[in-house]
Amino acid sequence: MIRNSPVVKAVRLLAYVAREETPVTLADLSAAVKLPKPTVHRIAALLEEEGFLYKDPLTRRYSAGKTFQELCFYALRSGAHGERHLILQRLSEKLAETINLAVLVGREVMYIERIESAWPLNINFQPGSRVPVHCTANGKLLLAFAPRRHRERLLNSIELRPYTRNTMVDGARLLRELQEIRRQGYSEDNEEFLAGVCCLAVPVKDRRGRVVAGLAVSAPSARFPLEKARSYLPDLQACAEELSVQAKLGF
Amino acid sequence: MIRNSPVVKAVRLLAYVAREETPVTLADLSAAVKLPKPTVHRIAALLEEEGFLYKDPLTRRYSAGKTFQELCFYALRSGAHGERHLILQRLSEKLAETINLAVLVGREVMYIERIESAWPLNINFQPGSRVPVHCTANGKLLLAFAPRRHRERLLNSIELRPYTRNTMVDGARLLRELQEIRRQGYSEDNEEFLAGVCCLAVPVKDRRGRVVAGLAVSAPSARFPLEKARSYLPDLQACAEELSVQAKLGF
DNA sequence: TCGAATCATTCTAAATGTTGGAATTTTTGT
DNA sequence: ACAAAAATTCCAACATTTAGAATGATTCGA
């Protein structure tokens, strides 16, 4: 991806101006974003024309423009992914553990949402971060329910790197486990990725029944072992159903 | 001035996404800004990388990104230096009570500006702080004038937690009140959030007449009961109008 | 009031990223 | 399972960006 794009420069200018308390001079801007003044000047002029910046005619200082400020009202209005977040939050509160929603992206699992439990000491993975597919509950789940061709291609292209003593590094064994996951409808991670942390994941399906995401609870084995997680299966499945039925996945 | 600059294209994309209520597809975007899909695709990817857009991995729809939302927050708050502040200050002086301007952020109401009255003893809510939506004048007002879909989704996802004896905890009754608010054009909070404190709020509209913010007076019922607040409705409305017409919302 | 220093703006040719039709892949709807 | 729609990738022609240098404007101290 091109990182020298004028688009990137423009939004960084915008970000700097918006974050500053008071209007800024061109020289400030130029120093802050590390671009030559003529460059900043031109981009700022474009942003000004679009109403994203406002240049005070007297002081020549830049601040947020009218269009931009108006936009702010709208952008904030719909706090990202309200309903989905709420559904997950309810589940997290009930189990008192971390809940995350993930999808398959390329050869990895990406969190699209994550509700941290109130407990201290739990791993910090931000939404957007990625984890391996062969040693996580969500990963194995999504792999198990992926279309066969897709699954095979993926399995051939990943390396079964060991993360803990329990990480599965044997392809044949992984295959058997995937079959088992399809049979029982959920997957487990018994400290296969992070020592001391176990997970349990259930599928989230779209209208047509295809598995599009995984919903998992993850917690320190010490206070929340897999047996306990299993006892909450109905709650997890109900939550997954809620996400599916209401088609709240999208937004 | 070059008008075909990618910078211009980028900010127009951003503006369109921010103004839409729900996440938009690439095809929508392409049609809306009248640019070929590959072009939109590339620019959107850049904006996503910068956190200005968020592409849901499941639906591939674009919405405002995290960095952008954070920026909006700053941009709205830093308006406090300019004309907007003066307009609010005049009103506050006339009523001799606390005035605040608020917007809907997610499921809550956020103050973007607040002029404290000179009186002692009044609650200290800084700009940026959030209050519930179902038991405040601004909250009910913004809810009442929000687009229907947005309102319904919000109502479904909030908990009508009681704060005082007067807090509305009955959804049906709240709905009726919202209808009444739309009819009469203003909303009241009769000690529903804080015992002993009442508020009255009027809508602030944008150019197209959509309600984007709420302007409220809040005061101890003892010295400034709702009847008295109502007598100042013309002043509040004039002030809201001033903010709207002159488009001084920005700053 | 003057001049020096700083800041803003314009100019330019070379460099770079952009562009969008066409092809490809993926997803959706029937 | 199929057709239609949408998203994504490609790439060579092309338009914009780039930033040094020059110029004009403003600020500030003496």
Side-chain angles (χ1 to χ4, degrees), chain B residues 1 29 32 66 76 110 113 115 129 132 158 165 192 213 242 248:
Chain B
M1 176 67 57
L29 260 177
K66 238 177 99 180
L76 285 181
M110 184 179 88
E113 193 151 3
I115 318 284
S129 56
I158 60 171
R165 234 185 0 258
E192 296 161 42
E242 206 175 347
K248 292 290 159 47

Side-chain angles (χ1 to χ4, degrees), chain A residues 93-113:
Chain A
E93 273 163 25
K94 175 149 190 185
L95 305 205
E97 292 296 349
T98 296
I99 298 295
N100 52 62
L101 189 64
V103 294
L104 220 46
V105 173
R107 305 172 181 174
E108 295 172 305
V109 173
M110 186 178 91
Y111 294 131
I112 59 178
E113 198 146 340

Side-chain angles (χ1 to χ4, degrees), chain A residues 4-6 9 35-36 38-39 42-43 46 58 60:
Chain A
N4 275 11
S5 166
K9 293 173 184 169
L35 288 171
T39 300
R42 185 175 33 76
I43 295 178
L46 289 167
L58 260 67
R60 302 183 193 199

Side-chain angles (χ1 to χ4, degrees), chain B residues 103-121:
Chain B
V103 294
L104 220 46
V105 173
R107 292 186 290 273
E108 295 172 306
V109 172
M110 184 179 88
Y111 293 131
I112 59 176
E113 193 151 3
R114 190 175 170 89
I115 318 284
E116 302 277 341
S117 80
W119 292 84
L121 95 89

